[in-house]
C-alpha cells in the first residue's frame, strides 16, 4: 500500500497540512475516509479548494478505502478526522506502522495530552489498542516540531 503518512486531525485540510506536511512528504494524493452519515458535514468542494491543484483529493466511504489504496500507484497521505475513522480501515486489513495525531480539539470529558490534543476515554482505549498492535503513535503539528510519543504519555 502506498500510504506514506497517516494522520488524525479534526480540522482535516488546513495550513499545517498544505504548507508543511505535503511538501515534506512528496505526496500525490490525500485520501479522507468519510462515513456516509457524516458526508453532509464534510464539504468536499471546500476541501478541494483548500488543497493546491497539484495534489489529488479522494473522499470516500471507509469500506472502499483499503481496496482503493492497495491498488493505487500514488503516494498517499491518509487523513482522518478522528481516531474512530481508523477502526473500519483496520478491520478491512489496513496496515500502518505509524500514526501522527495533529489535532483533536477539546470535547466534553476529554483530558489534555498535548497542545491541541485532547482525549476522552474512547480515544485512550483506541490508542492503547493501536499501540498493542505495534503502531507507533506520535503527536506533532509539523515536521519540524518535536515528536512526542503517545505511548509514553498514556
Amino acid at each position: 500500500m502506498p500510504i506514506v503518512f497517516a494522520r488524525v486531525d479534526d480540522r482535516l485540510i488546513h495550513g499545517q497540512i498544505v504548507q508543511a506536511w505535503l511538501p515534506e512528504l512528496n505526496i500525490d494524493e490525500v485520501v479522507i475516509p468519510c462515513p456516509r452519515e457524516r458526508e453532509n458535514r464534510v464539504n468536499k468542494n471546500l476541501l478541494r479548494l483548500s488543497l493546491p491543484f497539484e495534489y489529488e483529493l479522494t473522499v470516500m466511504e471507509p469500506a472502499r478505502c483499503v481496496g482503493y489504496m492497495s491498488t493505487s500507484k500514488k503516494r498517499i497521505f491518509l487523513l482522518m478526522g478522528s481516531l474512530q475513522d481508523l477502526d473500519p480501515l483496520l478491520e478491512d486489513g489496513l496496515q500502518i506502522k505509524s500514526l501522527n495525531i495533529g489535532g483533536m480539539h477539546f470535547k466534553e470529558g476529554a483530558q489534555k495530552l498535548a497542545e491541541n490534543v485532547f482525549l476522552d476515554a474512547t480515544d485512550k482505549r483506541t490508542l492503547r489498542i493501536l499501540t498493542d498492535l505495534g503502531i507507533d503513535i506520535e503527536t506533532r503539528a509539523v515536521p519540524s516540531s518535536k515528536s512526542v510519543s503517545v505511548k509514553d504519555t498514556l
Side-chain angles (χ1 to χ4, degrees):
M1 228 174 274
I3 298 172
V4 174
F5 196 67
R7 178 179 171 108
V8 172
D9 195 317
D10 57 14
R11 298 168 290 173
L12 295 175
I13 299 171
H14 56 88
Q16 291 172 342
I17 302 287
V18 172
Q19 295 295 315
W21 286 108
L22 297 180
E24 175 78 16
L25 298 168
N26 191 28
I27 297 298
D28 299 317
E29 178 179 23
V30 175
V31 174
I32 300 174
C34 180
R36 194 174 305 262
E37 61 271 10
R38 280 200 347 240
E39 259 184 52
N40 61 346
R41 290 184 291 182
V42 175
N43 188 328
K44 295 176 193 176
N45 292 328
L46 186 56
L47 289 172
R48 177 64 261 172
L49 287 173
S50 302
L51 197 62
F53 71 91
E54 64 264 26
Y55 302 105
E56 291 184 41
L57 174 65
T58 302
V59 179
M60 66 173 45
E61 277 283 320
R64 295 181 44 227
C65 275
V66 174
Y68 173 81
M69 292 184 296
S70 66
T71 60
S72 178
K73 303 290 185 223
K74 300 172 187 145
R75 293 175 53 83
I76 293 175
F77 185 113
L78 177 60
L79 182 58
M80 296 151 289
S82 74
L83 284 169
Q84 288 67 45
D85 290 346
L86 189 54
D87 291 341
L89 303 180
L90 293 171
E91 289 172 12
D92 284 345
L94 176 72
Q95 294 183 358
I96 54 173
K97 295 179 181 170
S98 63
L99 177 68
N100 169 269
I101 299 176
M104 293 174 58
H105 291 83
F106 183 77
K107 55 190 167 194
E108 194 64 39
Q111 294 179 321
K112 185 175 182 174
L113 172 73
E115 195 64 36
N116 294 323
V117 178
F118 293 84
L119 305 174
D120 63 16
T122 301
D123 296 328
K124 290 177 185 178
R125 189 171 34 259
T126 299
L127 289 172
R128 285 188 190 98
I129 291 168
L130 295 174
T131 57
D132 289 347
L133 290 172
I135 298 172
D136 293 324
I137 306 167
E138 65 159 4
T139 180
R140 182 167 44 142
V142 295
S144 60
S145 299
K146 181 182 178 211
S147 174
V148 176
S149 171
V150 171
K151 183 179 182 180
D152 298 339
T153 59
L154 283 177

